[in-house]
Amino acid sequence: MDAIPVDPAPVDPARIANYHMHVYYDPNDAGGRARAAQLRSWVEQRFPVRMGRWHDVPVGPHPTAMYQILFSVEVFPTLVPFVMMNRQGLTILLHPESGRPRDDHTLNASWMGAVLPLNTAILPEADQAGG
Ligand code: ZN
């Protein structure tokens, strides 16, 4: 990553339209996939989210298999602690959607578990695509 300049002013979090979590798993590890399925079903039963489909091969900037959970600002205070307490060792990327895809996946991202190397070069600086 390039050197990060000192910001003259904070970014207003009101720019965040919604959030993604990306739940990573090893498609060749049945146990890991089972834990990802368990978490998926627990979240679906409890929260108003838009659940993405299973991607058993890398897609977009993501280095390994994952599925996406898309959720609103209102759901954050209950969903994020639930996932923190129930991720069962899975690696999860939590990032805002603020109209700046590259920053949202790097400077603005939070990781649970490990930090995986994303292919951020394919992400636009300003919005259209997401990821
Ligand atoms: Zn995303």
Side-chain angles (χ1 to χ4, degrees), residues 20 22 62 68 93 95 97 105 130-131:
H20 291 177
H22 295 273
H62 305 285
Q68 177 196 71
L93 165 62
H95 73 84
E97 290 274 280
H105 288 77

Side-chain angles (χ1 to χ4, degrees), residues 59-128:
V59 61
H62 305 285
T64 186
M66 64 87 197
Y67 62 81
Q68 177 196 71
I69 306 171
L70 190 156
F71 58 101
S72 68
V73 170
E74 291 71 29
V75 173
F76 186 107
T78 49
L79 174 60
V80 173
F82 182 88
V83 171
M84 283 176 169
M85 300 303 283
N86 291 288
R87 68 182 175 84
Q88 305 170 89
L90 296 164
T91 294
I92 296 172
L93 165 62
L94 164 65
H95 73 84
E97 290 274 280
S98 77
R100 309 275 301 169
R102 194 171 300 158
D103 283 354
D104 287 344
H105 288 77
T106 53
L107 293 175
N108 306 338
S110 296
W111 289 87
M112 300 180 207
V115 177
L116 302 183
L118 298 179
N119 179 16
T120 53
I122 69 166
L123 294 171
E125 203 174 303
D127 218 355
Q128 311 142 14

